Amino acid sequence: MRFKDKKKIGLVLSGGGIKAAAYHIGVCLALKEKGFKFAGGPLNPSSRESKNDPMTIQLYVGSSAGAFVASVLAGGYSPESLVNAFQIGSGNKPIFRPNDFSSMKPISYRHIFSVNSHSLFRFLPQTLLKKSLVTGGLEALIKNGFKLNGLVTTDGLERYLRKYVFLENDFSQLQAELYIVATQLNHTRKVLFGNFPESYKTSSTKYINYSNISQAVACSTALPPLFSPYGIQRPDGKTLYYYDGEIRETLSAHVAADRGCDLVISSYSMQPYHYTEEMGSLHEYGIPVIINQALYQVLEQKISKHIEWQSTLKQIFKTIDGYFKQNNLPDEHREKVLEIIKSRFNYRSDVDYVYISPRPQNYEMFFVDHFSLNPKILERIVKIGFKSAIQVLRRYDM
């Protein structure tokens, strides 16, 4: 596979808090180092020229923290500008020269965490005044008394994107394609925000074309139980609530393939801890760390199953194709069988997938805080993302 021969390149970014965002930035810096370009910014007539430019990423899919990074890239900002925004927001000097790219407003904790004050104040009187709840036992007390739908909200992040990132907060007005993944709170389906025709529907996914970009990102980044679900009003006036895009599907690489990409580059940061002499066993670190490990193992297994399934389909397709050719069987039968496989399993033989993730030895990716803006920590994570991507990209012919 030669990257330069590909017609449409998509970048898929998964979630994992600020830590994941820093990792994705490192991956993007590596992609840039290897010659990739990032389409983005407001739609204009000259934007059509870049679509014929090889090694240009034309489509972004983001979930949770990846939704924020993907939206910023689609908005026309460089990975370097994101680094500087976090650096300056934490009270430090920028790493990159501002005249090398479009600058972004500094990002601080107040843009990420907006206190859910209404729910916080509502919690106390409900637990104290409704004594009858106690008769239902501890579970009833928790369910009825602990009415917090999140300690904080993503309102600040929505406001930051709306005021400082997008000149036109509209999916249809972007030079690049952008799709944001979320989960509908009061349903079982995945939600995809973007610029879709009214008739675009499937049974397993809800496609929404009436949301603006900042609202979609606020939905996707609402990680429970820390962030409360984010509500969006439908055209008929009813408000539906959405939250973290990682709940239903950890890595939505298929979205890029479904939208016509023949090269899909996916970055995900959740790597379970593998024992090292330096850090020792997790049983010595307490419940929170063990819970994190269990969560990471579940998510990593889901991603591994997805990658394994794609590889299996590819091998099945090649085996059937080779069998028909080696035995000189009629081409019309070969093509019919292969078309059945493509249709039934939504498989595209021309699509290549590249997966970038931390190595098990990168234990820092596991231990550092998901929501830390400490510049030293973020710098280390960016470097891990950069090195991870460089290592993977070396396997391919640029």
Side-chain angles (χ1 to χ4, degrees):
M1 175 184 64
R2 279 174 48 89
F3 289 155
K4 290 182 179 180
D5 294 336
K6 290 298 180 178
K7 299 176 181 178
K8 187 176 182 181
I9 304 174
L11 179 63
V12 181
L13 306 177
S14 68
I18 297 172
K19 177 169 62 176
Y23 181 83
H24 296 324
I25 292 170
V27 169
C28 289
L29 289 172
L31 289 171
K32 193 171 182 179
E33 177 83 7
K34 287 294 185 178
F36 285 90
K37 301 174 185 177
F38 300 91
L43 187 65
N44 59 71
S46 62
S47 65
R48 295 178 180 177
E49 299 175 2
S50 64
K51 291 191 175 183
N52 299 320
D53 188 6
M55 302 286 284
T56 297
I57 296 170
Q58 296 289 345
L59 180 147
Y60 304 94
V61 180
S63 180
S64 195
F68 173 75
V69 177
S71 66
V72 169
L73 293 173
Y77 296 90
S78 68
E80 293 91 342
S81 66
L82 259 173
V83 173
N84 276 4
F86 281 115
Q87 278 287 118
I88 299 172
S90 58
N92 292 271
K93 294 181 179 179
I95 294 178
F96 298 97
R97 294 172 54 188
N99 60 348
D100 290 339
F101 47 83
S102 299
S103 61
M104 288 179 61
K105 182 179 176 63
I107 303 170
S108 64
Y109 281 118
R110 67 185 180 87
H111 297 117
I112 300 170
F113 302 104
S114 295
V115 176
N116 193 1
S117 58
H118 177 68
S119 292
L120 283 171
F121 285 118
R122 189 177 61 190
F123 165 71
L124 185 60
Q126 283 189 336
T127 55
L128 291 178
L129 298 177
K130 295 186 178 180
K131 296 181 180 179
S132 61
L133 295 175
V134 181
T135 61
L138 179 61
E139 184 178 353
L141 175 63
I142 293 174
K143 286 183 177 179
N144 293 282
F146 199 72
K147 291 292 186 179
L148 287 170
N149 58 18
L151 297 176
V152 292
T153 74
T154 53
D155 292 345
L157 194 61
E158 187 280 329
R159 188 163 49 250
Y160 174 87
L161 292 171
R162 172 167 40 87
K163 291 180 64 176
Y164 306 119
V165 174
F166 297 108
L167 296 176
E168 292 192 47
N169 196 8
D170 189 334
F171 285 96
S172 65
Q173 295 304 309
L174 292 176
Q175 174 184 332
E177 292 180 61
L178 173 65
Y179 303 100
I180 303 298
V181 185
T183 305
Q184 189 171 337
L185 176 64
N186 298 309
H187 209 283
T188 58
R189 59 191 171 196
K190 182 172 74 173
V191 176
L192 200 59
F193 295 96
N195 182 26
F196 300 102
E198 292 291 339
S199 59
Y200 202 84
K201 296 179 181 179
T202 64
S203 58
S204 61
T205 302
K206 180 180 179 67
Y207 296 88
I208 296 179
N209 60 4
Y210 52 80
S211 165
N212 59 44
I213 302 169
S214 59
Q215 288 176 328
V217 175
C219 290
S220 185
T221 53
L223 173 66
L226 181 59
F227 293 93
S228 64
Y230 191 90
I232 294 182
Q233 190 176 78
R234 296 192 312 196
D236 63 4
K238 183 178 180 180
T239 298
L240 297 181
Y241 290 86
Y242 308 92
Y243 61 156
D244 193 350
E246 299 284 274
I247 300 296
R248 285 282 299 175
E249 190 167 10
T250 306
L251 192 64
S252 295
H254 72 90
V255 175
D258 292 344
R259 303 304 292 169
C261 291
D262 56 358
L263 174 60
V264 180
I265 302 172
S266 298
S267 171
Y268 60 97
S269 64
M270 292 191 178
Q271 172 64 53
Y273 172 71
H274 287 224
Y275 180 86
T276 65
E277 290 289 342
E278 184 176 357
M279 300 306 296
S281 172
L282 293 184
H283 84 276
E284 300 175 352
Y285 287 86
I287 292 175
V289 172
I290 294 173
I291 291 175
N292 270 351
Q293 176 73 341
L295 176 64
Y296 276 31
Q297 287 173 338
V298 170
L299 295 175
E300 196 265 346
Q301 182 190 37
K302 290 171 68 176
I303 294 174
S304 295
K305 289 293 184 183
H306 164 79
I307 296 174
E308 183 181 345
W309 175 240
Q310 288 295 334
S311 177
T312 300
L313 278 178
K314 188 172 185 178
Q315 290 303 318
I316 291 174
F317 192 90
K318 284 186 175 181
T319 300
I320 293 175
D321 188 41
Y323 179 82
F324 271 82
K325 289 179 179 178
Q326 290 173 9
N327 292 276
N328 295 318
L329 297 175
D331 283 343
E332 60 267 25
H333 294 306
R334 175 178 62 86
E335 292 173 0
K336 185 174 182 179
V337 172
L338 294 179
E339 189 59 39
I340 291 173
I341 293 176
K342 289 181 180 180
S343 176
R344 183 164 296 180
F345 298 105
N346 193 27
Y347 175 70
R348 283 182 53 197
S349 58
D350 63 323
V351 180
D352 287 298
Y353 295 88
V354 175
Y355 298 98
I356 301 172
S357 63
R359 297 180 302 161
Q361 294 83 354
N362 298 135
Y363 58 80
E364 283 180 297
M365 285 298 302
F366 177 82
F367 282 100
V368 300
D369 189 348
H370 288 82
F371 294 98
S372 174
L373 283 178
N374 183 305
K376 291 184 179 179
I377 291 177
L378 293 182
E379 183 179 351
R380 291 203 299 269
I381 301 304
V382 168
K383 287 181 179 179
I384 290 174
F386 182 88
K387 291 179 180 179
S388 299
I390 291 294
Q391 185 179 35
V392 171
L393 294 173
R394 282 175 182 160
R395 307 171 192 166
Y396 299 93
D397 184 358
M398 307 303 290

